[in-house]
Amino acid sequence: KYDAVVIECNNTDDASIIDKIYARCRTLNVPVIDLTRNTGEFYYVGLDNKDAIIQNVEHLYNVHQCRSFVFAGGPKYNFENQCRESGFIEAMKSHDIPVEDKMILDGSWDMICGKDAFHKIMDSWEKFPDAVVCANDSIAAGLCDEAEQNGMRIPHDFKVTGFDNADIATFFQPQIS
C-alpha cells in the first residue's frame, strides 16, 4: 500500500513500457506525481523545456548571429523531447526562419544519435548550419565527437548546445553549454 507514487520514465525508450506504467497508475487511489510528462492526469513536476530551448536559440541568434539551425532531438514520442522541439520551432518562427524537414532530426537520448545527426546534416545541407540545438548533452557530445573526427572544430565551424547539464557536457572538450 502506497501513500503516493512518483512516475519517472525518462530512463527507457520503450513506449510500451511507459504506457503500461501510466495505465497501472490510473488504477491507483493515491496521488501520482509525474516527472515524465504533463498529461493533465497527475500532478506534474518538471522543467519548462520549451522555454529553455527558446532561450537557447535566442542566445545563438542574438549573441552569436546564428541564422541557420538544426534541432537534434531524442525520441519523437517523449514528452520532454516534444516540448524542446516545439520550443525550437517557435523560436524559428519568431525569427521568420522557415522550418524544413531537414532541420528536425529525431533519434534517441544517446551519443550515437548525435553521431548520426552529424552525418544526416552533412548529407542534407549544402553548407553546415550555424548551430545545432541538441535535446540533451549526450546527443551534443556525440555530434561534437563526430564533427571533430571529420575535421570540424566546435565552436569555430558551428555552435552546439546541449540540455540537462550532465557530467558528459561538463567534462567534454570543448565544454558543452
Side-chain angles (χ1 to χ4, degrees):
K1 196 168 183 173
Y2 303 102
D3 294 325
V5 172
V6 177
I7 303 174
E8 200 292 310
C9 298
N10 287 323
N11 60 347
T12 181
D13 286 338
D14 189 335
S16 67
I17 290 173
I18 294 169
D19 290 343
K20 286 179 186 176
I21 292 169
Y22 276 85
R24 177 70 175 112
C25 287
R26 284 184 199 102
T27 68
L28 304 174
N29 290 321
V30 298
V32 177
I33 299 168
D34 193 341
L35 305 179
T36 303
R37 56 187 177 192
N38 188 2
T39 63
E41 292 182 86
F42 308 120
Y43 298 105
Y44 176 67
V45 178
L47 302 172
D48 187 345
N49 292 279
K50 182 177 179 179
D51 189 58
I53 291 293
I54 290 170
Q55 289 181 39
N56 240 353
V57 172
E58 289 303 311
H59 176 82
L60 291 165
Y61 190 90
N62 294 320
V63 176
H64 299 286
Q65 285 72 50
C66 296
R67 297 298 183 262
S68 56
F69 297 85
V70 166
F71 176 76
K76 190 79 169 164
Y77 65 84
N78 180 276
F79 175 75
E80 288 184 329
N81 185 68
Q82 292 167 359
C83 293
R84 294 171 193 181
E85 183 178 311
S86 175
F88 176 81
I89 292 167
E90 186 172 311
M92 293 298 102
K93 290 179 179 176
S94 76
H95 292 290
D96 296 320
I97 300 172
V99 178
E100 302 175 46
D101 289 343
K102 70 180 182 177
M103 295 169 67
I104 310 276
L105 304 175
D106 296 307
S108 62
W109 292 121
D110 55 24
M111 283 184 69
I112 194 71
C113 175
K115 291 176 179 286
D116 290 345
F118 174 82
H119 291 288
K120 288 176 183 174
I121 294 167
M122 290 295 290
D123 291 345
S124 60
W125 287 74
E126 191 172 306
K127 177 185 176 291
F128 212 88
D130 296 332
V132 180
V133 177
C134 298
N136 79 358
D137 292 334
S138 293
I139 296 168
L143 189 125
C144 290
D145 186 55
E146 198 66 17
E148 183 181 316
Q149 289 183 33
N150 284 272
M152 295 182 85
R153 298 173 309 140
I154 312 316
H156 305 290
D157 295 324
F158 66 99
K159 311 288 188 257
V160 177
T161 65
F163 199 104
D164 295 327
N165 196 30
D167 285 346
I168 193 168
T170 304
F171 300 109
F172 199 84
Q173 289 300 323
Q175 190 175 27
I176 297 168
S177 65

